[in-house]
Amino acid sequence: MDIKFVDNDKRNGVIVDWKFLFKEYKKLNCPKDVYNPCLLPIGKAKFFILLSERKTGKTTNLLLLGLLAYWHFGIVTQYLRSNESMIMNKNIKDIFSTIIQYGYIEKITNGRFNSIYYHAREWKLCKIDENGEIVEEDIKRCMFCLSFDNNETYKSTYNEPYGDFIIVDEFISKRYRMNEFVDLMDLLSTIIRKRLTAHIFLLANTIDLHSEYFLEFEIDEYVQSMQIGDKDIFTTTGGTNIYVELIKSGEDSTEKSFYNRLYFGFKNPKINSITGQG
């Protein structure tokens, strides 16, 4: 597919046909009980905050959408974590394991590639033989990993003109480092570099609606009233639209309740990301 730019100016960013991407995603036949990113209101916001209990498939399926954006439009997914240790090979090497296991890479690339590997913060598509040896690799990276705590280093060294699909994974953690939000915004500014076409997806395995991030995003008073399954778009005082979704698990409720009773029948709200209780 021919790559086109906003106003025919590369500096403005690549025009992505999202309807086409969503159509290609549906061809992958992902399980119906996992998160479906095709329902996101792309075009109505730039920030998409997705909160859920664990194992809803939101990260995996956004990675799939990112791979489709790369294959058809050359978009390089930017995968962000709060500190560098989280993007070290030993901690991130299995992030594509489900995608490889179910043959999604072969489907996306029409059989040219069947796997993906990680080196020097870059993910590249590749083809491996029956012995697990790489026999062909893509010449370009399809995803690059960065961390908030290195934002100062990236300012003068990093430039990815096709880095418009940005995943900020597990952005809410047990510890909120001083000025973490500012570091994230600084890093986003470095990545986007005034393009008009970037989309930022912030993912968290939590349904606890008390976080410094909600205050920083100016949505704290809104999210406090949200229930599991709710979704809405909020506008900040500066006019930035932020989509927030409290993802409802597609897992069978009877099975989930039985599992919770067996192991996690406690009233502590801090384990809601495990039990799925709001």
Side-chain angles (χ1 to χ4, degrees), residues 125-160:
L125 294 170
C126 63
K127 188 156 194 166
I128 58 174
D129 61 19
E130 60 275 8
N131 298 315
E133 298 294 326
I134 295 177
V135 294
E136 182 185 3
E137 67 176 60
D138 199 358
I139 60 173
K140 296 180 180 180
R141 64 192 182 196
C142 60
M143 187 166 96
F144 192 78
C145 298
L146 308 99
S147 60
F148 312 173
D149 58 352
N150 281 326
N151 74 89
E152 290 294 333
T153 303
Y154 301 132
K155 278 184 179 180
S156 58
T157 61
Y158 189 69
N159 183 29
E160 177 48 79

Side-chain angles (χ1 to χ4, degrees), residues 14-190:
V14 175
I15 298 173
V16 171
D17 185 341
W18 288 94
K19 281 188 176 181
F20 171 81
L21 276 191
F22 291 156
K23 184 178 179 180
E24 291 299 302
Y25 175 90
K26 291 173 183 176
K27 289 180 182 178
L28 299 177
N29 294 316
C30 294
K32 294 182 179 180
D33 60 347
V34 296
Y35 185 71
N36 182 2
C38 297
L39 301 178
L40 289 169
I42 299 293
K44 294 185 178 180
K46 288 297 187 182
F47 285 89
F48 300 83
I49 296 179
L50 307 177
L51 311 171
S52 75
E53 60 182 284
R54 299 172 186 172
K55 298 181 180 179
T56 57
K58 59 186 182 300
T59 299
T60 296
N61 290 346
L62 278 166
L63 289 173
L64 277 175
L65 194 59
L67 286 175
L68 285 165
Y70 168 73
W71 191 249
H72 294 287
F73 296 97
I75 301 299
V76 179
T77 296
Q78 309 291 286
Y79 181 86
L80 279 52
R81 295 295 298 271
S82 61
N83 66 72
E84 188 173 16
S85 68
M86 295 175 178
I87 56 173
M88 292 175 64
N89 184 68
K90 64 180 181 180
N91 295 323
I92 201 175
K93 60 184 176 64
D94 296 324
I95 194 170
F96 282 96
S97 59
T98 299
I99 290 173
I100 296 170
Q101 178 183 352
Y102 288 95
Y104 291 127
I105 292 175
E106 290 176 277
K107 291 180 181 179
I108 291 171
T109 65
N110 297 314
R112 179 175 175 184
F113 300 112
N114 59 9
S115 192
I116 189 170
Y117 77 97
Y118 187 52
H119 176 70
R121 303 295 182 258
E122 294 184 333
W123 287 92
K124 287 187 176 181
L125 294 170
C126 63
K127 188 156 194 166
I128 58 174
D129 61 19
E130 60 275 8
N131 298 315
E133 298 294 326
I134 295 177
V135 294
E136 182 185 3
E137 67 176 60
D138 199 358
I139 60 173
K140 296 180 180 180
R141 64 192 182 196
C142 60
M143 187 166 96
F144 192 78
C145 298
L146 308 99
S147 60
F148 312 173
D149 58 352
N150 281 326
N151 74 89
E152 290 294 333
T153 303
Y154 301 132
K155 278 184 179 180
S156 58
T157 61
Y158 189 69
N159 183 29
E160 177 48 79
Y162 292 88
D164 285 344
F165 193 92
I166 304 170
I167 297 175
V168 187
D169 206 6
E170 298 187 34
F171 77 103
I172 296 176
S173 61
K174 294 179 180 178
R175 296 180 181 85
Y176 177 83
R177 183 169 43 81
M178 184 178 294
N179 292 324
E180 187 171 307
F181 175 82
V182 176
D183 289 344
L184 171 57
M185 293 299 113
D186 203 30
L187 178 53
L188 291 175
S189 177
T190 297

